[in-house]
Amino acid sequence: MPTVSVKRDLLYHSLGRTYTDEEFDELCFQFGLELDEITSEREIISKEKGDVKAEGASDVVLFKIDVPANRYDLLCIEGLVRGLQVFKERLEAPRYKRVTPPDQGLQRLFITEETAVVRPHAVAAVLRNITFTQERYESFIDLQEKLHQNICRRRTLVAIGTHDLDTISGPFVYTAKPPASIKFKALNQNKELTAPELMDLYRTDSHMKHYLHIIEDKPVYPAIYDRNGVLLSMPPIINGDHSRITLNTRNVFIECTATDLTKAKIVLDMMVTMFSEYCAEPFTVEAAEVIRPDGSSCIYPELAYRKETVPAEKMNSKIGISETPANLAKLLTRMCLKSHVLEDGEQIEIEVPPTRADIIHACDIVEDAAVAYGFNNIKMVIPKTYTIANQLPLNKLTELLRQDLAAAGFTEALTFALCSVDDISDKLGIPVSATKAAHISNPKTTEFQVARTTLLPGLLKTIAANRKMPLPLKLFEISDVVVKDPSKDVGARNFRHLCAVYYNKNPGFEVIHGLLDRTMQLLAVCPGENGYTIKAAQDPAFFPGRCAEILVNGQSIGKLGVLHPDIITKFDLNLPCSALEINLEPFV
């Protein structure tokens, strides 16, 4: 979940009242948020870098609020305050309006066909006669960063550019050029650099280096120019210094270049709806025209309102409450979803504003009604399907055995469920075809190529990583292995195995045999024909004549013995080792 940091005093001033920390925490919970931490800039720096570095830092109290990842409208203090005020019924949800200036005043952005190979889409809008303060300016920049990290997927899907419109002249051109032909003075730089020089410069920049990979291997880089050839930005990397936003900026030109047009529309809507309240005419946005390479055009921002209809009965049944349609409509209106009951008295019509891109389906509307009603206010009832939860027998057996094996002096290990092909075949002296292993189709590393068919390699690798520990090393693991099974719908199935290893200067076969006897005693299986027996067996992983098969009621459940020296050396070990591995599922 994204975390929004807001100054407590500024937030309270915007809300028009103060709260105790407990009261505000409760308000956040009621609205579906979580007050994660109360801190300050000095405290944050002190924790991360020490008290010396924190000297001179601000002591202003900060609230860190966790916001749902799909609530882009709550990523800044403007949207947060607006949402809380509407929720507390101190404010009506504003209606956002797009105005289109006369033809000669309409800003236009032309997209050339060269952009198709890098970032083919662009949208734009203008915030006219806006007034910035230091707090508003900081929030404006912070919202861009929050959107970049969230819906924009670190600028890979969308990149936002904001410019002082009074320093540039339209129409604008969004094109793509060879890197060497792009030269401009980038934001916060003191001289002009070419695009390759900028990329080299930013490779060591802790913030910018994460975005270079998006275009650095492309034959052309995207760029936006104004009528006079002034470069506004080289998305998604950096804006030009010429059109930078300042506290004195009165008119802001916002452009979003993208690989995903839908995401770009949402991002543009969020930027203009959040900050249009500071315009001379609040909540009014000036449109811009975008002309595509094929000659078609579109006016942005869309600021689209749409209507959804949900039956009140369905809403009540999904939440588990019995509210009247009028009350449900009121609850939804408190969540910035203006609603009213239709003439039939049963259906509720909901108007979804452009700020609520998270409303995709009727279930999202039902969720908002539940939030407004209050989850703690929903009465708990016994489900119509009466069931009693219980632990799976196999898991219960596993937990009990873990306790007793640890009491027997063995240390539990937890190893990876994936391993290399060599771990379960060559290193154990078994052909790959005989393992029945489920293979990963596109493994990222040779260490994780297949699902393990035995727990033994994982324990041997654990011992190899802990050879400096005092001897003896006595490890065990109880976990699942995976083998192919054509009879299953997924083509494979899990088995719960128990594996134990004893590593010392002598093989210690008697220790492993004793552990087997203790395990069988715990499982209430007696030695003998009607219980468990062991008989001599051959296995390439074990020393000849030092391997036994374990039978329970005539059914083979595993093997124990002294590992073959070749197997031990393949796992980078140099001392004798005894091992036991059995299948626990027959005991459930």
Side-chain angles (χ1 to χ4, degrees):
M1 294 172 69
T3 300
V4 179
S5 294
V6 294
K7 296 176 181 177
R8 182 192 63 185
D9 295 342
L10 180 62
L11 177 63
Y12 287 170
H13 174 75
S14 302
L15 289 173
R17 61 156 293 183
T18 60
Y19 296 85
T20 65
D21 293 344
E22 293 74 18
E23 286 173 340
F24 188 73
D25 189 14
E26 180 61 24
L27 175 60
C28 287
F29 178 78
Q30 292 172 1
F31 191 53
L33 309 177
E34 182 182 352
L35 180 58
D36 182 56
E37 187 180 1
I38 301 173
T39 184
S40 67
E41 184 181 333
R42 177 192 290 272
E43 192 175 332
I44 293 171
I45 297 174
S46 178
K47 284 181 181 178
E48 294 178 354
K49 301 179 180 179
D51 293 336
V52 176
K53 294 284 186 181
E55 288 182 7
S58 172
D59 285 316
V60 173
V61 178
L62 297 176
F63 282 167
K64 288 194 169 185
I65 303 170
D66 283 343
V67 176
N70 60 352
R71 288 300 301 269
Y72 317 121
D73 58 314
L74 301 178
L75 291 175
C76 61
I77 189 172
E78 288 75 14
L80 191 61
V81 168
R82 203 175 302 162
L84 289 172
Q85 293 287 61
V86 173
F87 179 71
K88 298 299 288 184
E89 299 180 280
R90 301 190 192 116
L91 180 75
E92 282 191 15
R95 189 160 191 89
Y96 306 99
K97 185 172 65 172
R98 182 183 73 186
V99 294
T100 304
D103 187 65
Q104 63 272 18
L106 181 65
Q107 298 296 336
R108 292 182 172 86
L109 175 63
F110 290 85
I111 304 176
T112 68
E113 59 186 11
E114 288 82 7
T115 60
V117 296
V118 275
R119 301 174 78 81
H121 306 294
V123 295
V126 175
L127 290 177
R128 184 72 67 176
N129 296 319
I130 191 170
T131 303
F132 281 117
T133 63
Q134 186 63 41
E135 290 79 12
R136 294 173 184 178
Y137 176 81
E138 289 172 359
S139 180
F140 187 70
I141 301 300
D142 189 55
L143 177 60
Q144 293 179 58
E145 189 59 31
K146 286 283 193 299
L147 291 170
H148 276 151
Q149 298 301 315
N150 191 341
I151 184 175
C152 301
R153 294 294 184 271
R154 299 175 68 84
R155 304 189 190 181
T156 56
L157 300 182
V158 185
I160 309 165
T162 55
H163 312 276
D164 188 333
L165 185 57
D166 296 328
T167 65
I168 50 181
S169 303
F172 306 98
V173 177
Y174 172 44
T175 186
K177 292 185 174 183
S181 66
I182 298 175
K183 187 175 184 179
F184 68 110
K185 184 181 176 183
L187 198 62
N188 299 323
Q189 297 299 317
N190 52 23
K191 64 177 181 179
E192 288 191 350
L193 295 171
T194 63
E197 288 172 339
L198 271 175
M199 299 294 269
D200 289 337
L201 176 66
Y202 289 143
R203 286 186 207 287
T204 56
D205 188 288
S206 60
H207 177 65
M208 302 301 299
K209 66 181 180 181
H210 303 293
Y211 309 118
L212 303 183
H213 69 93
I214 302 173
I215 62 169
E216 66 180 345
D217 60 343
K218 303 292 184 183
V220 290
Y221 288 179
I224 299 177
Y225 294 89
D226 78 346
R227 180 176 60 189
N228 300 319
V230 175
L231 192 143
L232 277 65
S233 68
M234 186 178 74
I237 307 301
I238 192 72
N239 288 346
D241 191 71
H242 180 86
S243 58
R244 68 183 302 160
I245 302 287
T246 67
L247 294 181
N248 298 320
T249 297
R250 295 286 292 158
N251 301 298
V252 179
F253 178 67
I254 303 174
E255 42 82 8
C256 300
T257 58
T259 57
D260 186 321
L261 182 58
T262 301
K263 296 285 193 300
K265 292 177 184 177
I266 293 172
V267 168
L268 184 65
D269 281 352
M270 290 304 150
M271 288 297 300
V272 298
T273 53
M274 292 302 104
F275 288 90
S276 57
E277 71 171 283
Y278 302 134
C279 293
E281 189 176 346
F283 307 113
T284 300
V285 184
E286 184 179 307
E289 183 180 16
V290 175
I291 297 92
R292 304 186 186 97
D294 61 3
S296 62
S297 66
C298 193
I299 301 294
Y300 295 105
E302 291 187 342
L303 296 182
Y305 285 83
R306 76 175 199 275
K307 293 185 177 180
E308 299 284 347
T309 303
V310 181
E313 182 184 355
K314 177 181 179 181
M315 209 174 292
N316 277 323
S317 65
K318 294 291 184 185
I319 301 172
I321 58 178
S322 299
E323 289 292 304
T324 63
N327 283 347
L328 289 172
K330 186 177 179 181
L331 291 174
L332 289 169
T333 300
R334 290 175 58 200
M335 299 299 291
C336 295
L337 299 173
K338 191 174 181 180
S339 307
H340 68 274
V341 183
L342 296 179
E343 292 180 359
D344 62 4
E346 298 295 332
Q347 304 275 344
I348 300 174
E349 186 176 78
I350 302 100
E351 185 178 58
V352 182
T355 53
R356 295 302 304 274
D358 59 299
I359 304 294
I360 300 173
H361 186 273
C363 64
D364 299 310
I365 296 171
V366 174
E367 181 188 4
D368 265 20
V371 170
Y373 184 81
F375 290 116
N376 287 343
N377 297 325
I378 300 173
K379 292 181 180 178
M380 290 187 287
V381 296
I382 297 175
K384 293 179 181 179
T385 304
Y386 186 71
T387 59
I388 298 175
N390 202 358
Q391 190 176 16
L392 285 173
L394 183 59
N395 287 343
K396 186 174 182 179
L397 174 63
T398 299
E399 294 299 328
L400 292 171
L401 281 175
R402 280 174 174 152
Q403 295 290 334
D404 283 288
L405 291 179
F410 281 73
T411 300
E412 184 176 15
L414 186 63
T415 62
F416 291 116
L418 298 179
C419 61
S420 69
V421 174
D422 287 345
D423 286 343
I424 60 168
S425 57
D426 291 348
K427 289 184 179 180
L428 295 180
I430 305 170
V432 178
S433 56
T435 60
K436 295 184 180 179
H439 291 249
I440 308 299
S441 61
N442 56 338
K444 296 295 183 184
T445 169
T446 55
E447 287 297 308
F448 303 120
Q449 295 174 312
V450 295
R452 63 186 175 191
T453 56
T454 170
L455 301 179
L456 183 58
L459 289 183
L460 293 177
K461 288 162 77 174
T462 302
I463 291 175
N466 292 275
R467 283 173 297 182
K468 294 182 180 179
M469 297 294 288
L471 296 175
L473 293 178
K474 300 159 72 175
L475 299 182
F476 81 93
E477 181 174 10
I478 306 178
S479 294
D480 282 2
V481 299
V482 182
V483 295
K484 287 182 180 178
D485 186 347
S487 65
K488 298 296 179 182
D489 56 347
V490 295
R493 66 166 296 177
N494 289 24
F495 288 100
R496 185 66 52 86
H497 277 204
L498 181 159
C499 185
V501 173
Y502 179 85
Y503 180 75
N504 201 0
K505 294 179 179 178
N506 54 46
F509 178 78
E510 68 282 359
V511 177
I512 285 295
H513 197 313
L515 184 66
L516 173 64
D517 289 341
R518 175 57 179 159
T519 303
M520 291 301 166
Q521 183 183 35
L522 293 168
L523 294 170
V525 180
C526 300
E529 292 296 328
N530 296 325
Y532 80 94
T533 58
I534 61 173
K535 70 173 186 178
Q538 294 295 324
D539 189 297
F542 293 92
F543 199 84
R546 294 291 185 274
C547 174
E549 188 172 24
I550 306 164
L551 304 171
V552 173
N553 297 326
Q555 177 186 356
S556 175
I557 62 164
K559 292 177 181 175
L560 82 160
V562 178
L563 292 180
H564 198 287
D566 291 345
I567 305 301
I568 294 172
T569 55
K570 286 178 182 178
F571 283 95
D572 298 324
L573 301 174
N574 51 19
L575 294 176
C577 190
S578 295
L580 154 73
E581 184 162 3
I582 61 173
N583 181 10
L584 292 178
E585 303 212 1
F587 302 102
V588 178

